[in-house]
Amino acid sequence: MKAQVHGLHHITAIAGDPQENLDFYTKVMGLRLVKKSINQDAPDTYHLFFADKDGNPGTDLTFFPWPDMGPAKTGAGMAVEVIFAIPQGTMAYWKERLDAHNITTLEEIRFSEKHLTFIDPHGLGLALTENDDERDFAAWEKSSVPADKQLRGMHNVRFQVRELKNTEVLLTDVFGYERMAEDNGWVRYGVEGGTSGKLVEVHADSKLGLGRWGTGGIHHLAWRVKDTEEEMTVRNKVMQFGLSPSPQIDRFWFKSVYFKEPGGVLFELATDGPGFDRDEDPEKLGETLILPPWYEPKRAEIEAGLKPLKYELS
C-alpha cells in the first residue's frame, strides 16, 4: 500500500490560563490529561495533552497555554474548529451538560449530520456530532462523563484558505484524501473511506484576510503516519510537491515533521508511537510534570517558571 496519512493524529491549540484550560477539558468535556509536559520549543510554557484513557492517536487535543497572548484572528491560513465524535443518541445529554455549565450552543446541519457547536472558555471553536464508526478509543473510568457518552476522538477539523487548488492537490495527491462533497461553501475530503477521524473540511475565499495565531486559535494540525519509514516517505512527497518540510524531530512520544500547506495552515506529520506510556505508568498518565529526557537536567529551573496546576481526578 502506498504511504499516506491515516487521518488526524492530534490538534494543538493555544489556550489562555492553564488551570482554566485543564478544568474545562477534564471536568466539563470529560477528557483525560494524558501528559503534562512543556512546549519543547518554548520550555517556559506548558504543553497539556487531553485524550481518551490511553492517549490513542486521533483522540488527542493539546494546548500551549499563553495567557498573555492576544486573541486569535480568524482568517485565511487558520484552522477554525475541532469537531469531536460522540456516541449515537448522546446529543441531548451533551446539550444539557453544556447548558448546565452556562455554555451557549447552536445546532447546525452540515453534510446531513447534526452538529452542536460552541466555544471553549478561551474562544476555541468546537463541535460535537453523533457517530459510531469503529475507531481506536478507550473509555476512561475516572472521567466526569459516563463511559457510554464520552468523546470518541476528533471526528473532523475545519480550516480556511484563500485559494483551494494547491491545498486540494496536497490533500489528494500527497496525503491520499478524496474529495467527497460540498456544503454551504465547505469542501469535505476523506481518507480510507472518510470515516470518523479521517475527515477534513476546507473553505476557500479569495477575499479572506489573513488569520493570526492567538488564544482560542488552532496552532497546527497533526496527521497520522504509522512509523518513521512512512513519515519520511510522505515527507519526501511533500518536498517533491514543492514545500519545505522540517527535518524529523523527536518529540519522545512520537516523531514529527512540520510544514505549512499552500494556504498557510501549519501541518505536522506525527508517528503513531512510541506513545504516552513510554515514560509513565498507564494508570497515572498526566499526574506529574513529565519532561523529555534532554530537558531533565533543567527540571528545577523549568518547574520554578511554571504555574502549579491542580488536577482533581473523579
Side-chain angles (χ1 to χ4, degrees), residues 4 9-10 21 28 34 57 83 106 141 151 161 174 178-179 182 212 232 236-237 266 293 301 310:
Q4 61 180 37
H9 184 283
H10 67 269
N21 177 252
V28 179
V34 294
I83 301 98
L106 294 173
E141 64 278 3
L151 305 184
V161 295
V174 179
E178 296 181 358
R179 186 172 180 143
E182 295 184 42
R212 181 186 62 231
M232 299 310 286
N236 187 53
K237 291 169 69 175
L266 182 59
E301 176 186 345
K310 186 176 182 181

PDB file of all heavy atoms in Angstrom, residues 4 9-10 21 28 34 57 83 106 141 151 161 174 178-179 182 212 232 236-237 266 293 301 310:
ATOM      1  N   GLN A   4       0.829   7.108   2.962  1.00  0.00           N
ATOM      2  CA  GLN A   4      -0.085   8.239   3.014  1.00  0.00           C
ATOM      3  C   GLN A   4      -0.359   8.536   4.470  1.00  0.00           C
ATOM      4  O   GLN A   4       0.144   7.861   5.368  1.00  0.00           O
ATOM      5  CB  GLN A   4      -1.398   7.908   2.294  1.00  0.00           C
ATOM      6  CG  GLN A   4      -2.144   6.729   2.921  1.00  0.00           C
ATOM      7  CD  GLN A   4      -3.441   6.408   2.195  1.00  0.00           C
ATOM      8  OE1 GLN A   4      -3.520   6.502   0.992  1.00  0.00           O
ATOM      9  NE2 GLN A   4      -4.459   6.029   2.948  1.00  0.00           N
ATOM     10  N   HIS A   9      -4.026  12.879  13.806  1.00  0.00           N
ATOM     11  CA  HIS A   9      -3.239  12.350  14.930  1.00  0.00           C
ATOM     12  C   HIS A   9      -3.540  13.153  16.192  1.00  0.00           C
ATOM     13  O   HIS A   9      -3.921  12.607  17.220  1.00  0.00           O
ATOM     14  CB  HIS A   9      -1.750  12.420  14.591  1.00  0.00           C
ATOM     15  CG  HIS A   9      -0.835  11.819  15.631  1.00  0.00           C
ATOM     16  ND1 HIS A   9      -0.529  12.469  16.813  1.00  0.00           N
ATOM     17  CD2 HIS A   9      -0.171  10.635  15.663  1.00  0.00           C
ATOM     18  CE1 HIS A   9       0.288  11.709  17.523  1.00  0.00           C
ATOM     19  NE2 HIS A   9       0.518  10.591  16.857  1.00  0.00           N
ATOM     20  N   HIS A  10      -3.353  14.462  16.109  1.00  0.00           N
ATOM     21  CA  HIS A  10      -3.751  15.366  17.194  1.00  0.00           C
ATOM     22  C   HIS A  10      -3.938  16.762  16.609  1.00  0.00           C
ATOM     23  O   HIS A  10      -3.579  17.028  15.462  1.00  0.00           O
ATOM     24  CB  HIS A  10      -2.723  15.384  18.334  1.00  0.00           C
ATOM     25  CG  HIS A  10      -1.393  15.968  17.984  1.00  0.00           C
ATOM     26  ND1 HIS A  10      -0.336  15.216  17.498  1.00  0.00           N
ATOM     27  CD2 HIS A  10      -0.918  17.247  18.035  1.00  0.00           C
ATOM     28  CE1 HIS A  10       0.718  15.988  17.294  1.00  0.00           C
ATOM     29  NE2 HIS A  10       0.389  17.230  17.598  1.00  0.00           N
ATOM     30  N   ASN A  21      -7.988  26.026  31.390  1.00  0.00           N
ATOM     31  CA  ASN A  21      -7.946  25.068  30.284  1.00  0.00           C
ATOM     32  C   ASN A  21      -8.055  23.642  30.805  1.00  0.00           C
ATOM     33  O   ASN A  21      -8.856  22.830  30.312  1.00  0.00           O
ATOM     34  CB  ASN A  21      -6.639  25.277  29.513  1.00  0.00           C
ATOM     35  CG  ASN A  21      -6.433  24.299  28.384  1.00  0.00           C
ATOM     36  OD1 ASN A  21      -5.604  23.411  28.474  1.00  0.00           O
ATOM     37  ND2 ASN A  21      -7.162  24.459  27.295  1.00  0.00           N
ATOM     38  N   VAL A  28     -15.484  19.407  32.355  1.00  0.00           N
ATOM     39  CA  VAL A  28     -16.661  19.606  31.509  1.00  0.00           C
ATOM     40  C   VAL A  28     -16.681  18.614  30.353  1.00  0.00           C
ATOM     41  O   VAL A  28     -17.670  17.904  30.145  1.00  0.00           O
ATOM     42  CB  VAL A  28     -16.724  21.054  30.980  1.00  0.00           C
ATOM     43  CG1 VAL A  28     -17.948  21.236  30.078  1.00  0.00           C
ATOM     44  CG2 VAL A  28     -16.775  22.045  32.140  1.00  0.00           C
ATOM     45  N   VAL A  34      -3.514  13.210  29.612  1.00  0.00           N
ATOM     46  CA  VAL A  34      -2.627  12.055  29.434  1.00  0.00           C
ATOM     47  C   VAL A  34      -1.153  12.436  29.470  1.00  0.00           C
ATOM     48  O   VAL A  34      -0.288  11.564  29.574  1.00  0.00           O
ATOM     49  CB  VAL A  34      -2.929  11.300  28.121  1.00  0.00           C
ATOM     50  CG1 VAL A  34      -4.309  10.659  28.178  1.00  0.00           C
ATOM     51  CG2 VAL A  34      -2.797  12.213  26.906  1.00  0.00           C
ATOM     52  N   PRO A  57      -3.851   7.892  19.244  1.00  0.00           N
ATOM     53  CA  PRO A  57      -3.799   8.874  18.168  1.00  0.00           C
ATOM     54  C   PRO A  57      -5.201   9.109  17.595  1.00  0.00           C
ATOM     55  O   PRO A  57      -5.972   8.165  17.411  1.00  0.00           O
ATOM     56  CB  PRO A  57      -2.881   8.210  17.133  1.00  0.00           C
ATOM     57  CG  PRO A  57      -2.019   7.275  17.911  1.00  0.00           C
ATOM     58  CD  PRO A  57      -2.915   6.760  19.016  1.00  0.00           C
ATOM     59  N   ILE A  83     -14.014  19.238  15.550  1.00  0.00           N
ATOM     60  CA  ILE A  83     -15.278  18.513  15.686  1.00  0.00           C
ATOM     61  C   ILE A  83     -14.992  17.154  16.311  1.00  0.00           C
ATOM     62  O   ILE A  83     -14.193  16.373  15.787  1.00  0.00           O
ATOM     63  CB  ILE A  83     -15.975  18.337  14.320  1.00  0.00           C
ATOM     64  CG1 ILE A  83     -16.266  19.687  13.675  1.00  0.00           C
ATOM     65  CG2 ILE A  83     -17.276  17.550  14.486  1.00  0.00           C
ATOM     66  CD1 ILE A  83     -15.257  20.125  12.643  1.00  0.00           C
ATOM     67  N   LEU A 106     -25.219  26.006  19.633  1.00  0.00           N
ATOM     68  CA  LEU A 106     -26.070  26.152  18.457  1.00  0.00           C
ATOM     69  C   LEU A 106     -26.137  24.812  17.748  1.00  0.00           C
ATOM     70  O   LEU A 106     -25.151  24.059  17.726  1.00  0.00           O
ATOM     71  CB  LEU A 106     -25.514  27.213  17.505  1.00  0.00           C
ATOM     72  CG  LEU A 106     -25.499  28.666  18.000  1.00  0.00           C
ATOM     73  CD1 LEU A 106     -24.750  29.544  17.006  1.00  0.00           C
ATOM     74  CD2 LEU A 106     -26.927  29.182  18.197  1.00  0.00           C
ATOM     75  N   GLU A 141     -12.429   5.313  32.975  1.00  0.00           N
ATOM     76  CA  GLU A 141     -13.361   5.061  34.065  1.00  0.00           C
ATOM     77  C   GLU A 141     -13.399   6.196  35.095  1.00  0.00           C
ATOM     78  O   GLU A 141     -14.369   6.328  35.852  1.00  0.00           O
ATOM     79  CB  GLU A 141     -13.016   3.741  34.764  1.00  0.00           C
ATOM     80  CG  GLU A 141     -11.668   3.699  35.455  1.00  0.00           C
ATOM     81  CD  GLU A 141     -10.512   3.398  34.527  1.00  0.00           C
ATOM     82  OE1 GLU A 141     -10.738   3.263  33.302  1.00  0.00           O
ATOM     83  OE2 GLU A 141      -9.369   3.295  35.027  1.00  0.00           O
ATOM     84  N   LEU A 151     -16.472  11.583  24.708  1.00  0.00           N
ATOM     85  CA  LEU A 151     -15.958  11.962  23.391  1.00  0.00           C
ATOM     86  C   LEU A 151     -15.138  10.806  22.839  1.00  0.00           C
ATOM     87  O   LEU A 151     -14.276  10.255  23.520  1.00  0.00           O
ATOM     88  CB  LEU A 151     -15.074  13.202  23.486  1.00  0.00           C
ATOM     89  CG  LEU A 151     -15.661  14.465  24.127  1.00  0.00           C
ATOM     90  CD1 LEU A 151     -14.661  15.606  24.024  1.00  0.00           C
ATOM     91  CD2 LEU A 151     -16.977  14.855  23.489  1.00  0.00           C
ATOM     92  N   VAL A 161      -8.706  28.873   3.647  1.00  0.00           N
ATOM     93  CA  VAL A 161      -7.632  29.325   2.770  1.00  0.00           C
ATOM     94  C   VAL A 161      -8.221  30.328   1.770  1.00  0.00           C
ATOM     95  O   VAL A 161      -9.432  30.450   1.641  1.00  0.00           O
ATOM     96  CB  VAL A 161      -6.991  28.144   1.996  1.00  0.00           C
ATOM     97  CG1 VAL A 161      -6.293  27.186   2.953  1.00  0.00           C
ATOM     98  CG2 VAL A 161      -8.043  27.404   1.155  1.00  0.00           C
ATOM     99  N   VAL A 174      -0.888  13.959  -2.355  1.00  0.00           N
ATOM    100  CA  VAL A 174       0.194  13.668  -1.407  1.00  0.00           C
ATOM    101  C   VAL A 174      -0.322  12.894  -0.193  1.00  0.00           C
ATOM    102  O   VAL A 174       0.258  11.890   0.206  1.00  0.00           O
ATOM    103  CB  VAL A 174       0.896  14.969  -0.961  1.00  0.00           C
ATOM    104  CG1 VAL A 174       2.005  14.667   0.057  1.00  0.00           C
ATOM    105  CG2 VAL A 174       1.472  15.699  -2.161  1.00  0.00           C
ATOM    106  N   GLU A 178      -9.664  11.948  -0.678  1.00  0.00           N
ATOM    107  CA  GLU A 178     -10.533  12.092  -1.840  1.00  0.00           C
ATOM    108  C   GLU A 178     -11.553  13.193  -1.562  1.00  0.00           C
ATOM    109  O   GLU A 178     -12.031  13.339  -0.437  1.00  0.00           O
ATOM    110  CB  GLU A 178     -11.274  10.780  -2.134  1.00  0.00           C
ATOM    111  CG  GLU A 178     -10.359   9.637  -2.527  1.00  0.00           C
ATOM    112  CD  GLU A 178     -11.142   8.367  -2.827  1.00  0.00           C
ATOM    113  OE1 GLU A 178     -12.390   8.403  -2.681  1.00  0.00           O
ATOM    114  OE2 GLU A 178     -10.523   7.366  -3.195  1.00  0.00           O
ATOM    115  N   ARG A 179     -11.866  13.960  -2.593  1.00  0.00           N
ATOM    116  CA  ARG A 179     -12.923  14.965  -2.461  1.00  0.00           C
ATOM    117  C   ARG A 179     -14.250  14.250  -2.377  1.00  0.00           C
ATOM    118  O   ARG A 179     -14.604  13.459  -3.254  1.00  0.00           O
ATOM    119  CB  ARG A 179     -12.872  15.907  -3.660  1.00  0.00           C
ATOM    120  CG  ARG A 179     -13.832  17.080  -3.571  1.00  0.00           C
ATOM    121  CD  ARG A 179     -13.581  18.054  -4.707  1.00  0.00           C
ATOM    122  NE  ARG A 179     -14.486  19.186  -4.666  1.00  0.00           N
ATOM    123  CZ  ARG A 179     -14.154  20.418  -4.975  1.00  0.00           C
ATOM    124  NH1 ARG A 179     -12.904  20.697  -5.335  1.00  0.00           N
ATOM    125  NH2 ARG A 179     -15.042  21.389  -4.931  1.00  0.00           N
ATOM    126  N   GLU A 182     -19.597  18.855  -1.165  1.00  0.00           N
ATOM    127  CA  GLU A 182     -19.576  20.283  -0.859  1.00  0.00           C
ATOM    128  C   GLU A 182     -20.865  20.648  -0.145  1.00  0.00           C
ATOM    129  O   GLU A 182     -21.931  20.105  -0.434  1.00  0.00           O
ATOM    130  CB  GLU A 182     -19.443  21.111  -2.139  1.00  0.00           C
ATOM    131  CG  GLU A 182     -18.134  20.913  -2.882  1.00  0.00           C
ATOM    132  CD  GLU A 182     -18.019  21.823  -4.101  1.00  0.00           C
ATOM    133  OE1 GLU A 182     -18.411  23.016  -3.973  1.00  0.00           O
ATOM    134  OE2 GLU A 182     -17.567  21.350  -5.151  1.00  0.00           O
ATOM    135  N   ARG A 212      -4.517  34.967  12.298  1.00  0.00           N
ATOM    136  CA  ARG A 212      -3.371  35.195  13.173  1.00  0.00           C
ATOM    137  C   ARG A 212      -3.488  34.284  14.390  1.00  0.00           C
ATOM    138  O   ARG A 212      -4.556  34.141  14.979  1.00  0.00           O
ATOM    139  CB  ARG A 212      -3.337  36.659  13.613  1.00  0.00           C
ATOM    140  CG  ARG A 212      -2.158  37.023  14.520  1.00  0.00           C
ATOM    141  CD  ARG A 212      -2.283  38.449  15.025  1.00  0.00           C
ATOM    142  NE  ARG A 212      -3.487  38.629  15.849  1.00  0.00           N
ATOM    143  CZ  ARG A 212      -4.377  39.588  15.652  1.00  0.00           C
ATOM    144  NH1 ARG A 212      -4.242  40.442  14.658  1.00  0.00           N
ATOM    145  NH2 ARG A 212      -5.434  39.690  16.450  1.00  0.00           N
ATOM    146  N   MET A 232       8.871   9.494   6.608  1.00  0.00           N
ATOM    147  CA  MET A 232       9.904  10.038   5.720  1.00  0.00           C
ATOM    148  C   MET A 232       9.512   9.899   4.255  1.00  0.00           C
ATOM    149  O   MET A 232       9.887  10.736   3.420  1.00  0.00           O
ATOM    150  CB  MET A 232      11.238   9.365   6.004  1.00  0.00           C
ATOM    151  CG  MET A 232      11.744   9.588   7.438  1.00  0.00           C
ATOM    152  SD  MET A 232      11.722  11.330   7.950  1.00  0.00           S
ATOM    153  CE  MET A 232      13.122  11.953   7.008  1.00  0.00           C
ATOM    154  N   ASN A 236       9.096  13.133   1.869  1.00  0.00           N
ATOM    155  CA  ASN A 236       9.720  13.264   0.556  1.00  0.00           C
ATOM    156  C   ASN A 236       8.693  13.688  -0.491  1.00  0.00           C
ATOM    157  O   ASN A 236       8.989  14.507  -1.384  1.00  0.00           O
ATOM    158  CB  ASN A 236      10.371  11.938   0.157  1.00  0.00           C
ATOM    159  CG  ASN A 236      11.182  12.056  -1.125  1.00  0.00           C
ATOM    160  OD1 ASN A 236      12.044  12.921  -1.251  1.00  0.00           O
ATOM    161  ND2 ASN A 236      10.901  11.182  -2.090  1.00  0.00           N
ATOM    162  N   LYS A 237       7.468  13.156  -0.389  1.00  0.00           N
ATOM    163  CA  LYS A 237       6.406  13.552  -1.319  1.00  0.00           C
ATOM    164  C   LYS A 237       6.044  15.025  -1.145  1.00  0.00           C
ATOM    165  O   LYS A 237       5.761  15.736  -2.113  1.00  0.00           O
ATOM    166  CB  LYS A 237       5.177  12.664  -1.102  1.00  0.00           C
ATOM    167  CG  LYS A 237       5.379  11.213  -1.524  1.00  0.00           C
ATOM    168  CD  LYS A 237       4.250  10.323  -1.039  1.00  0.00           C
ATOM    169  CE  LYS A 237       2.941  10.608  -1.731  1.00  0.00           C
ATOM    170  NZ  LYS A 237       1.880   9.638  -1.307  1.00  0.00           N
ATOM    171  N   LEU A 266      -0.369  25.502   9.364  1.00  0.00           N
ATOM    172  CA  LEU A 266       0.763  24.691   9.791  1.00  0.00           C
ATOM    173  C   LEU A 266       0.318  23.244   9.968  1.00  0.00           C
ATOM    174  O   LEU A 266      -0.609  22.965  10.734  1.00  0.00           O
ATOM    175  CB  LEU A 266       1.346  25.226  11.098  1.00  0.00           C
ATOM    176  CG  LEU A 266       2.579  24.487  11.639  1.00  0.00           C
ATOM    177  CD1 LEU A 266       3.728  24.519  10.642  1.00  0.00           C
ATOM    178  CD2 LEU A 266       3.006  25.083  12.979  1.00  0.00           C
ATOM    179  N   PRO A 293      13.726  13.503  28.084  1.00  0.00           N
ATOM    180  CA  PRO A 293      14.999  13.273  28.781  1.00  0.00           C
ATOM    181  C   PRO A 293      16.001  14.406  28.622  1.00  0.00           C
ATOM    182  O   PRO A 293      16.756  14.705  29.557  1.00  0.00           O
ATOM    183  CB  PRO A 293      15.509  11.976  28.141  1.00  0.00           C
ATOM    184  CG  PRO A 293      14.290  11.283  27.651  1.00  0.00           C
ATOM    185  CD  PRO A 293      13.345  12.364  27.240  1.00  0.00           C
ATOM    186  N   GLU A 301      14.795  24.478  37.208  1.00  0.00           N
ATOM    187  CA  GLU A 301      14.591  25.786  36.581  1.00  0.00           C
ATOM    188  C   GLU A 301      13.243  25.845  35.866  1.00  0.00           C
ATOM    189  O   GLU A 301      12.519  26.844  35.960  1.00  0.00           O
ATOM    190  CB  GLU A 301      15.727  26.040  35.594  1.00  0.00           C
ATOM    191  CG  GLU A 301      15.607  27.313  34.795  1.00  0.00           C
ATOM    192  CD  GLU A 301      16.698  27.427  33.742  1.00  0.00           C
ATOM    193  OE1 GLU A 301      17.695  26.690  33.813  1.00  0.00           O
ATOM    194  OE2 GLU A 301      16.529  28.265  32.830  1.00  0.00           O
ATOM    195  N   LYS A 310      -3.627  22.368  39.602  1.00  0.00           N
ATOM    196  CA  LYS A 310      -4.386  21.455  40.450  1.00  0.00           C
ATOM    197  C   LYS A 310      -5.206  20.544  39.566  1.00  0.00           C
ATOM    198  O   LYS A 310      -6.056  21.021  38.791  1.00  0.00           O
ATOM    199  CB  LYS A 310      -5.288  22.244  41.400  1.00  0.00           C
ATOM    200  CG  LYS A 310      -6.002  21.374  42.409  1.00  0.00           C
ATOM    201  CD  LYS A 310      -6.816  22.244  43.386  1.00  0.00           C
ATOM    202  CE  LYS A 310      -7.518  21.387  44.440  1.00  0.00           C
ATOM    203  NZ  LYS A 310      -8.314  22.214  45.369  1.00  0.00           N
TER     204      LYS A 310
END
